[in-house]
Amino acid sequence: MDIMVKNEKLKTWIKEVADMCRPDAIHICDGSKKEYDGMMAMLIASGSAIALSKRPNSYLFRSDPSDVARVEDRTYISTTSKDEAGPTNNWIDPASLKATMKNLYNGCMKGRTMYVIPFSMGPIGSPIAKIGVEISDSPYVVVNMHIMTRVSSKVLELLGADGDFIPCLHSIGAPLEKGRKDVQWPCAPIESKYISHFPEENLIWSYGSGYGGNALLGKKCLALRIASAMARRESWMAEHMLILRLTNPEGRQYHIAAAFPSACGKTNLAMMKPSLEGWKCECIGDDIAWMKIGPDGRLYAINPENGFFGVGPGTSYSTNAMAMDTIKENTIFTNCALTDDGDIWWEGMTDDLPSHLIDWKGRDWTPSEKAEAAHPNARFTAAAAQCPVICKDWENPAGVPIDIFIFGGRRGSVVPLVYESLSWEHGVFLGATAASETTSANIGAVGNLRRDPFAMKPFCGYNMGDYFGHWLAMGEKLGGKAPRIFYVNWFRKNQDGKFLWPGFSENSRVLKWMCERVDGRAGADESPIGLLPKRGDLDLSGLDIARDDFEELMKVDSAEWHAEIPDIEAHFSLFGGRLPDSLKDQLTALKKRLG
Ligand code: OXD
Ligand code: MN
């Protein structure tokens, strides 16, 4: 350890954690291919990973059935005052949360190796990057962090003796007694899982889960919850947004950042193949955007991640061919089904069902089975650089200038395909009131409507009322250079429950209208909720959509919108005095426009 770790804060922290967690060994990760291959060999030998004969250098993991998604109920923002965490976060005061967790951490790594993972969010050494160090007793976490972040001994060099980093402590919470054989996916029971954030000291403590955002602490914990609190202090933005570059047939580029709740199609949109002739889409990121105002006064975005942790089910060559090509090799799969010839499969991947599979729980599966073969939140982990449409500027430390923000969610009714905000303040109102039917990215009921402001409800590291205020303040700073704001709903259904809009590549038609709005070349109709494209404004050439269906898709029904108001009022009332006046004014104005 002394050879590699020169940083005083890191040395002290490693010692403190080792004294508390009492691992059998300590391994300082260097991020090399040798390290990755060695860890995978060990994971195969222990029975945790299965090498896939059909996909080069790719592996399947199966988690414990109790540990399959983020655990929002067990996720905490621990600030000195409860009000600082706000009404949308779980809160326990730092002293008692730390006391509880120290008890859990006490001896929790016995029988295991403690990995020290130095990583950079954003290109190593770039002025916008942030350095984190995750300590974890999960080798699965190490291999995933290798893909999702930049793990490297260069990070330690950069830290030098006195550089600062964000400490991210993780344990699966399953000490291994001497002589006991390990289980395939060790973790702690749900009631002792804690995913804790201490934004006042830029500190993360996670215990008990090995899955996704609970355990890969660079992603939701650092790049969103901790970063959002830093961003507010330092006047920038950390958002749950994909970033894409759209180029029109004349070669003009537009950069779009879009916030949708988890498992609502961010990865699909980020890698979309436009159905419109001559339009091109390139991916910069599929989940997180960090944005700063540049020297020209515009807002510039970077993707702090290095890979995609995408939802498998529903991904296919017809819905997202670019994702399918991204995961052809060098990919980690979690909770997918295994085919008889050594490949993975999930619901929606192919039209025909395989005649036999091993399901995500390791049991035989045939099409007569009622249960899904892959878990609905089954994931792939693959390097962004493998994406065939990754933008050449995706690692440019200067970022890309954002022209358009999109908010949205999954709504079977009420909300039309697309509309534009009337102003920045109205756009912030649209973000603040965004609602979506819940998905399996979180443990809990699926399909219930919930307000998920800016798709950040599970990820905002401070009082959401102040977060709304931060958006308004950023708008003031950006002035006339602020991105235009739109709201979309790809998921509206007719009375028979059929989707009214084909989605996927056809969403390029909606993006084209937005770009033309930016250039002042497309028209719109005023409606009580915002600006809607008229039929002629949206390029529907070559698309077979019945006139009635289109009208249904774009319908703004006053009675339905009136019925939304009490829910918006109840949502706003949560924030009490922290709700900015301008959002109250927006609600009053909406009511007035609805008549
Ligand atoms: C994700 C999520 O994994 O939002 O990106 O759950
Ligand atoms: Mn996400």
Side-chain angles (χ1 to χ4, degrees):
M1 172 175 126
D2 286 343
I3 307 166
M4 294 181 70
V5 180
K6 303 245 163 20
N7 185 276
E8 287 307 320
K9 171 176 163 180
L10 182 55
K11 269 205 251 185
T12 311
W13 184 55
I14 293 172
K15 179 156 183 344
E16 259 172 38
V17 174
D19 288 348
M20 176 168 71
C21 302
R22 299 200 292 286
D24 281 10
I26 299 179
H27 172 118
I28 313 283
C29 297
D30 62 12
S32 64
K33 179 165 174 348
K34 188 166 159 243
E35 178 173 86
Y36 184 90
D37 292 345
M39 304 274 295
M40 275 301 185
M42 190 182 81
L43 285 159
I44 291 166
S46 72
S48 289
I50 297 169
L52 296 166
S53 47
K54 281 300 261 288
R55 281 178 205 246
N57 193 29
S58 298
Y59 306 89
L60 171 65
F61 289 80
R62 296 188 190 121
S63 79
D64 187 272
S66 68
D67 198 26
V68 291
R70 286 184 294 96
V71 283
E72 291 176 17
D73 284 354
R74 310 288 315 165
T75 299
Y76 296 88
I77 299 297
S78 180
T79 39
T80 317
S81 105
K82 185 172 192 308
D83 206 30
E84 184 52 32
T88 57
N89 284 312
N90 300 311
W91 177 86
I92 299 176
D93 80 82
S96 59
L97 182 55
K98 281 186 178 169
T100 305
M101 291 191 73
K102 276 183 183 165
N103 261 335
L104 293 167
Y105 280 134
N106 192 2
C108 71
M109 296 188 186
K110 275 188 199 161
R112 302 196 180 277
T113 297
M114 175 176 125
Y115 298 96
V116 179
I117 315 165
F119 65 95
S120 176
M121 299 308 290
I124 297 175
S126 110
I128 33 171
K130 301 260 177 254
I131 291 180
V133 179
E134 177 159 352
I135 290 186
S136 173
D137 52 5
S138 162
Y140 169 84
V141 164
V142 177
V143 287
N144 275 273
M145 288 293 283
H146 265 234
I147 298 176
M148 292 306 299
T149 71
R150 284 121 173 140
V151 177
S152 170
S153 40
K154 280 198 205 114
V155 171
L156 292 181
E157 277 165 35
L158 203 68
L159 270 183
D162 53 7
D164 203 11
F165 65 93
I166 299 166
C168 312
L169 174 54
H170 170 252
S171 171
I172 50 176
L176 190 58
E177 277 169 39
K178 274 216 162 46
R180 268 272 176 94
K181 191 173 158 15
D182 208 358
V183 294
Q184 188 179 292
W185 183 279
C187 62
I190 183 86
E191 64 282 1
S192 48
K193 292 191 206 301
Y194 286 89
I195 320 299
S196 305
H197 307 74
F198 305 92
E200 289 157 345
E201 33 177 333
N202 289 346
L203 175 68
I204 300 163
W205 280 10
S206 165
Y207 182 89
S209 166
Y211 205 87
N214 301 330
L216 313 176
L217 302 186
K219 192 175 180 63
K220 304 300 183 182
C221 300
L222 191 160
L224 285 176
R225 298 193 190 98
I226 294 294
S228 63
M230 293 172 104
R232 172 201 179 197
R233 295 194 291 263
E234 299 163 5
S235 278
W236 52 284
M237 302 171 95
E239 299 296 331
H240 191 204
M241 287 181 168
L242 67 89
I243 313 165
L244 65 84
R245 169 180 290 170
L246 199 63
T247 308
N248 76 8
E250 290 77 48
R252 155 116 160 85
Q253 292 177 349
Y254 306 83
H255 295 100
I256 301 180
F260 306 134
S262 310
C264 285
K266 283 203 301 297
T267 308
N268 294 341
L269 187 64
M271 299 176 193
M272 189 214 356
K273 260 185 122 168
S275 59
L276 292 173
E277 256 318 290
W279 287 73
K280 187 166 103 182
C281 170
E282 291 162 281
C283 175
I284 293 159
D286 81 327
D287 198 41
I288 299 176
W290 283 355
M291 292 173 284
K292 291 194 174 152
I293 299 179
D296 62 355
R298 297 183 70 193
L299 192 62
Y300 285 78
I302 69 141
N303 167 16
E305 300 194 276
N306 190 56
F308 307 122
F309 184 65
V311 177
T315 307
S316 70
Y317 271 99
S318 57
T319 61
N320 191 343
M322 295 303 106
M324 293 301 283
D325 280 347
T326 305
I327 60 174
K328 271 185 178 159
E329 55 187 358
N330 312 318
T331 300
I332 297 172
F333 295 94
T334 310
N335 286 347
C336 304
L338 178 67
T339 67
D340 292 348
D341 60 353
D343 200 359
I344 47 89
W345 188 86
W346 50 62
E347 277 67 21
M349 182 188 275
T350 52
D351 289 338
D352 299 329
L353 301 182
S355 57
H356 177 261
L357 295 164
I358 303 294
D359 75 4
W360 70 276
K361 289 183 174 166
R363 303 168 310 188
D364 282 308
W365 184 97
T366 54
S368 62
E369 203 73 51
K370 273 210 213 70
E372 283 116 342
H375 186 275
N377 192 38
R379 298 280 181 147
F380 54 79
T381 319
Q386 290 190 180
C387 178
V389 288
I390 198 76
C391 179
K392 70 171 175 24
D393 284 325
W394 86 280
E395 291 190 285
N396 184 343
V400 294
I402 298 299
D403 300 286
I404 291 167
F405 276 139
I406 307 177
F407 302 128
R410 192 181 277 271
R411 292 292 301 262
S413 58
V414 185
V415 180
L417 174 66
V418 59
Y419 57 107
E420 184 183 349
S421 71
L422 301 165
S423 62
W424 179 267
E425 289 75 16
H426 181 233
V428 174
F429 175 79
L430 300 185
T433 54
S436 192
E437 289 146 22
T438 49
T439 69
S440 39
N442 169 43
I443 300 262
V446 169
N448 293 341
L449 189 70
R450 75 165 178 180
R451 298 278 154 198
D452 186 353
F454 298 82
M456 281 289 277
K457 182 177 184 290
F459 308 121
C460 184
Y462 60 103
N463 190 307
M464 187 79 99
D466 293 347
Y467 168 88
F468 299 158
H470 181 53
W471 264 83
L472 291 164
M474 289 301 289
E476 263 174 43
K477 286 201 177 91
L478 288 160
K481 294 186 173 159
R484 298 277 274 264
I485 301 179
F486 297 82
Y487 198 98
V488 301
N489 175 27
W490 316 131
F491 301 95
R492 196 165 190 174
K493 291 178 178 166
N494 68 10
Q495 273 163 0
D496 304 327
K498 275 190 61 191
F499 287 114
L500 285 160
W501 178 247
F504 305 109
S505 317
E506 305 301 355
N507 292 338
S508 55
R509 300 169 187 275
V510 176
L511 302 190
K512 176 181 174 189
W513 176 69
M514 294 175 184
C515 296
E516 289 177 350
R517 290 290 300 158
V518 167
D519 291 342
R521 287 192 285 133
D525 268 343
E526 267 208 40
S527 86
I529 63 165
L531 301 166
L532 270 83
K534 296 186 284 275
R535 188 171 173 120
D537 294 329
L538 213 53
D539 184 347
L540 298 179
S541 55
L543 186 67
D544 192 13
I545 182 163
R547 197 175 188 98
D548 288 356
D549 280 348
F550 187 73
E551 261 151 36
E552 177 81 26
L553 181 65
M554 296 306 300
K555 192 173 75 185
V556 178
D557 183 295
S558 271
E560 282 177 349
W561 278 91
H562 267 296
E564 291 276 300
I565 301 289
D567 193 59
I568 297 178
E569 280 168 344
H571 166 62
F572 273 1
S573 72
L574 290 177
F575 303 102
R578 301 248 190 172
L579 185 75
D581 285 342
S582 129
L583 292 186
K584 290 182 207 155
D585 296 345
Q586 285 295 331
L587 180 56
T588 310
L590 171 64
K591 283 197 245 175
K592 214 156 131 207
R593 290 195 302 267
L594 285 170

